[in-house]
Amino acid sequence: MKVPFKKTSRLMMLCLLLCQASLASGASDEMPIIAYWGVPDAHTSEENFRIISECGFTVSLFPYSSLDRLVQACRNADKYGVKILGQCPEMTLTPEKAAHTLKKENGFFGYFMQDEPSVPEIRQKQKDIQKLQNIDDTHCFYINLFPYSKPEWIEASTKAKTYPEYLQAASSTSCQQISFDFYPITTRGLHANWYHNLEMVRHESVVSGKPFWGFVLSVPHSVPFSSGNYYPTPTIASLRLQIYSNLAYGAQGIQYFTYWTPEKSSDKSNDFGFHDAPISPKGQKTRTYDVVQQMNKELKLIARLFYGARVTAVNHLGKVASGTTKLASAPLNISNLRISSRKGAVVSQFEKDGHQYLAIVNKDYQKSMEVQVKPKNSQPQHVTKSLQAEPIKPNYTLEPGDILLFRLL
């Protein structure tokens, strides 16, 4: 709970690309960077939206107490180039009024319908979406799904027999994207099911023609029902691993949980011990703010290459994660690719603007990795994080959780 592969036809691929390039209300040339639990109801001042903008976020998600408060948030956010993915009681109680009002707001990104619903709840939310969509078909609708972290809990929590069935229920709604949360890094290491979850979400994204949005954890807290396990304070390496793995699998939006630190729960059985998100409960910057700001500056540059791209293959090199496949042959125009890492690497091949690209992600968020690349010809080039092409080198040192890019053709 959050706080208050089939062969695809050319037509389906075209639908996927069009959907990726034109998410309703989002900038067509910019990947959304979303602050889940963004600027709260009681803190919607212009100053707070200036601060979230300077941290690199383009969308702030929050459930507001009223339509008036949501509108005010939209107007203050818009002054700093931020949009609101919001919720308010009127979206359900008086949907026609809410839609007529929100469709006119420049700072409105879309309708936050529900977090981690079951299949019956998804079906009910589709009815709510339809009422809003009858008035406003220019903004997106958003539902966020449970992760595949505990397979034995799937049926009880989602009311679906399998996780793919749960994904299909969500992709059949009018939501323009598939969103799921998974926080893979704990004090016990990297979660074994994370990449399997990415595989299943990517598959449903391709089949349905709907892009997916991934999550990155930016608030340390305890792990429910897991004694002695903990989500640690984020580092630039842990953020990179989560973000770049999502991008390698084709994510078209990156969401941070959370931006604003949630207030401590009065119910001790439901207290996650949240602390040190980028902004404290009282609205002050924490040590995490600078780390996230640095990551978002990097992300905004590199996201230009991945936004609207079509991932053609994702494999693993070295240690192969559960539910994934080993890289069986060298990528296009590469005769040899080797790494020196016990944790392994994600190897993604994708297309953008008529070019073929290769992305290599170091799955170790604690140690660097050596990468050896031998091209077949003069076509491959190294692409820097600022998207500058340069001659390829035979050896690279890839920092913990970092990404290495090549243009192959």
Side-chain angles (χ1 to χ4, degrees):
M1 187 184 73
K2 283 230 181 88
V3 175
F5 265 62
K6 262 179 196 178
K7 191 171 182 180
T8 308
S9 69
R10 290 184 180 179
L11 179 59
M12 194 169 287
M13 283 297 186
L14 178 59
C15 291
L16 175 60
L17 290 173
L18 290 173
C19 191
Q20 289 173 343
S22 60
L23 266 181
S25 83
S28 61
D29 60 347
E30 184 178 38
M31 180 179 291
I33 303 176
I34 301 154
Y36 192 108
W37 216 249
V39 178
D41 198 306
H43 298 272
T44 54
S45 66
E46 290 184 25
E47 176 65 7
N48 282 327
F49 283 109
R50 179 187 66 80
I51 292 171
I52 195 174
S53 175
E54 290 179 353
C55 197
F57 291 99
T58 61
V59 179
S60 176
L61 181 153
F62 199 84
Y64 289 94
S65 59
S66 71
L67 179 59
D68 288 343
R69 298 302 292 268
L70 174 52
V71 168
Q72 187 59 53
C74 290
R75 292 176 181 177
N76 285 343
D78 187 50
K79 294 174 183 177
Y80 293 96
V82 177
K83 292 184 181 293
I84 302 295
L85 183 50
Q87 184 185 90
C88 63
E90 289 87 342
M91 283 166 48
T92 303
L93 298 175
T94 54
E96 293 83 3
K97 176 185 176 182
H100 275 298
T101 301
L102 293 169
K103 70 182 293 187
K104 297 180 288 188
E105 293 297 326
N106 291 332
F108 185 59
F109 186 88
Y111 299 85
F112 169 29
M113 301 306 296
Q114 190 169 342
D115 182 51
E116 296 184 340
S118 64
V119 170
E121 289 172 324
I122 289 172
R123 291 171 180 156
Q124 178 57 49
K125 284 300 165 185
Q126 175 57 27
K127 296 178 182 178
D128 295 338
I129 289 172
Q130 191 59 58
K131 293 176 184 178
L132 294 162
Q133 198 171 37
N134 287 339
I135 307 297
D136 182 7
D137 61 358
T138 62
H139 292 93
C140 78
F141 296 88
Y142 171 95
I143 290 173
N144 182 57
L145 302 177
F146 280 109
Y148 186 70
S149 56
K150 297 264 185 195
E152 63 273 21
W153 291 358
I154 291 300
E155 190 166 358
S157 58
T158 70
K159 304 298 186 286
K161 293 182 179 179
T162 66
Y163 194 75
E165 181 183 311
Y166 180 51
L167 292 173
Q168 289 164 16
S171 70
S172 66
T173 68
S174 297
C175 292
Q176 289 87 341
Q177 68 289 311
I178 302 168
S179 174
F180 79 108
D181 56 63
F182 200 130
Y183 313 120
I185 299 174
T186 73
T187 49
R188 294 181 181 175
L190 197 65
H191 199 293
N193 292 325
W194 179 39
Y195 285 110
H196 191 186
N197 202 157
L198 278 166
E199 292 278 344
M200 289 187 282
V201 170
R202 168 172 141 70
H203 175 77
E204 184 59 30
S205 174
V206 172
V207 170
S208 68
K210 292 188 175 183
F212 79 88
W213 291 354
F215 265 88
V216 55
L217 185 68
S218 52
V219 57
H221 63 283
S222 59
V223 180
F225 318 115
S226 182
S227 178
N229 205 7
Y230 192 79
Y231 292 114
T233 301
T235 64
I236 194 68
S238 70
L239 295 179
R240 278 174 173 161
L241 176 60
Q242 294 171 83
I243 287 171
Y244 291 146
S245 291
N246 273 298
L247 293 183
Y249 269 86
Q252 296 293 293
I254 296 295
Q255 308 171 78
Y256 285 77
F257 180 79
T258 62
Y259 170 72
W260 203 283
T261 305
E263 296 279 358
K264 186 175 181 180
S265 175
S266 58
D267 179 5
K268 291 186 178 180
S269 65
N270 194 36
D271 184 15
F272 291 72
F274 293 108
H275 65 92
D276 290 312
I279 301 295
S280 73
K282 295 183 178 180
Q284 300 169 326
K285 293 180 183 178
T286 71
R287 55 183 174 172
T288 307
Y289 182 94
D290 292 338
V291 179
V292 170
Q293 184 183 52
Q294 177 188 346
M295 184 69 248
N296 280 341
K297 285 180 180 178
E298 189 174 299
L299 171 59
K300 282 192 171 184
L301 289 173
I302 203 168
R304 290 181 294 162
L305 183 61
F306 286 91
Y307 194 53
R310 182 175 74 89
V311 175
T312 56
V314 185
N315 303 102
H316 287 237
L317 191 58
K319 185 177 181 180
V320 179
S322 173
T324 67
T325 57
K326 182 179 180 180
L327 183 67
S329 59
L332 177 70
N333 289 332
I334 299 294
S335 62
N336 195 18
L337 177 62
R338 292 184 180 182
I339 62 168
S340 62
S341 171
R342 296 176 62 182
K343 302 289 186 181
V346 180
V347 180
S348 173
Q349 298 175 66
F350 60 99
E351 300 175 348
K352 177 72 180 288
D353 297 334
H355 293 287
Q356 305 281 338
Y357 292 92
L358 171 68
I360 302 169
V361 180
N362 181 1
K363 292 196 293 183
D364 194 330
Y365 57 93
Q366 296 176 318
K367 294 181 180 180
S368 298
M369 177 177 77
E370 299 301 315
V371 181
Q372 296 180 352
V373 184
K374 185 177 180 181
K376 285 183 179 179
N377 49 48
S378 61
Q379 288 278 4
Q381 289 184 299
H382 174 230
V383 178
T384 68
K385 286 185 182 176
S386 59
L387 307 189
Q388 301 300 310
E390 60 183 29
I392 197 168
K393 297 188 297 185
N395 298 288
Y396 293 88
T397 298
L398 192 54
E399 295 299 315
D402 215 346
I403 192 168
L404 187 61
L405 296 167
F406 298 96
R407 188 170 67 196
L408 303 178
L409 181 65

